[in-house]
Amino acid sequence: RIGGHRLVRRLAAQFVIAAALLPLLLRDLTGSGPWRVLFALGVLLWLVSYVHAFHFMDGINGIAAMQALPAGGTWLVIGPV
């Protein structure tokens, strides 16, 4: 069980890291200012939510690795497109 302070620190760290990645992830995004801000907030929330979901799966006897292998392979193939 994770203590409250530890959970808050982990969540804050995940938001900081995700926010640091936003310029890289959104560098080719076009559109109006409000659209870009809304999209960036959505990406930020998605990244943090994905980390939490992956952390949950990681405790279930390797299910995270079994999900990451085909997903990573797929991104490897379609990424350069």
Side-chain angles (χ1 to χ4, degrees):
R1 183 172 174 203
I2 300 174
H5 293 304
R6 187 173 172 199
L7 180 63
V8 170
R9 284 188 306 206
R10 181 184 294 176
L11 186 60
Q14 290 170 354
F15 269 103
V16 167
I17 292 168
L21 290 173
L22 280 179
L24 175 68
L25 295 172
L26 303 177
R27 67 177 175 230
D28 295 328
L29 184 64
T30 60
S32 65
W35 164 249
R36 291 171 58 100
V37 170
L38 184 62
F39 191 78
L41 288 174
V43 169
L44 182 70
L45 290 174
W46 181 84
L47 284 170
V48 173
S49 299
Y50 183 80
V51 168
H52 280 285
F54 204 83
H55 177 71
F56 172 75
M57 286 191 307
D58 194 34
I60 308 176
N61 297 329
I63 194 172
M66 298 316 296
Q67 184 274 334
L69 288 173
T74 301
W75 283 112
L76 181 66
V77 170
I78 67 170
V81 174

